[in-house]
Amino acid sequence: MAGCSSDADLSKTPAGRPPRFPPSPTPYGTFLPQQQVPLPTAPLLPNPTKPPLQYQPPPQPADGYLAIPVGYQSQPYSAVVDGIPMNARVPPLPFCGIGVGWALFVAGFIFASIPWYVGAFILLFVAQDYREKPGLIACSIAAVLAILSLILSAFNFHVFWFSDY
């Protein structure tokens, strides 16, 4: 074929042109010959002798002190982190697991936004579970928007994109 070159063509180079891969005068790569470098010498110091280890019996517990054995325990001890037992189960949320906040938010579309005001009141004045907060915040935002629309319609203020002029 014209334009293709074979291995024999690569070894031939035109006159006056250097070969593509000239042989290197020094070896290269990962496996270079190792040079012998003299190691620094220091005077040897005598090894100090260590005293033999002495057996010490375990300390005896004081009266009224009960040590918990390390390893397998016959009674399960609960892991406590920051005073909260880790094996304590968290009770599920009411209303099929969605919680009061989201249930009030959905009910607000059906019952003329009154549940949204209840949700805003619960958020502001009642201590609740941390898992209830997102739904109660949604109720508060919806209640603010509902109040805003009521105020605007009370003063016959028409927003320009809803007007029929």
Side-chain angles (χ1 to χ4, degrees):
M1 277 199 226
C4 290
S5 62
S6 66
D7 292 336
D9 293 339
L10 292 176
S11 62
K12 299 177 184 177
T13 58
R17 187 173 182 194
R20 279 190 194 176
F21 303 107
S24 177
T26 59
Y28 62 93
T30 306
F31 303 104
L32 295 175
Q34 297 292 326
Q35 298 177 356
Q36 296 296 330
V37 177
L39 296 175
T41 58
L44 296 176
L45 299 175
N47 188 6
T49 58
K50 296 181 182 177
L53 295 175
Q54 300 289 330
Y55 173 74
Q56 295 179 353
Q60 298 297 323
D63 291 335
Y65 175 75
L66 176 64
I68 298 175
V70 178
Y72 178 76
Q73 290 136 13
S74 59
Q75 293 178 334
Y77 292 97
S78 63
V80 177
V81 176
D82 293 333
I84 302 169
M86 292 285 93
N87 61 355
R89 292 194 49 124
V90 179
L93 291 174
F95 296 103
C96 300
I98 64 170
V100 174
W102 288 114
L104 288 172
F105 181 73
V106 171
F109 291 105
I110 300 168
F111 298 113
S113 73
I114 294 172
W116 294 339
Y117 304 125
V118 173
F121 178 81
I122 291 173
L123 178 68
L124 295 175
F125 299 110
V126 178
Q128 72 276 351
D129 189 6
Y130 70 95
R131 299 174 293 164
E132 295 280 352
K133 281 199 175 185
L136 295 173
I137 290 172
C139 285
S140 300
I141 293 171
V144 167
L145 292 177
I147 288 282
L148 184 67
S149 67
L150 286 174
I151 290 173
L152 291 178
S153 65
F155 292 113
N156 284 334
F157 180 78
H158 297 286
V159 182
F160 65 90
W161 60 80
F162 288 136
S163 63
D164 293 332
Y165 296 120

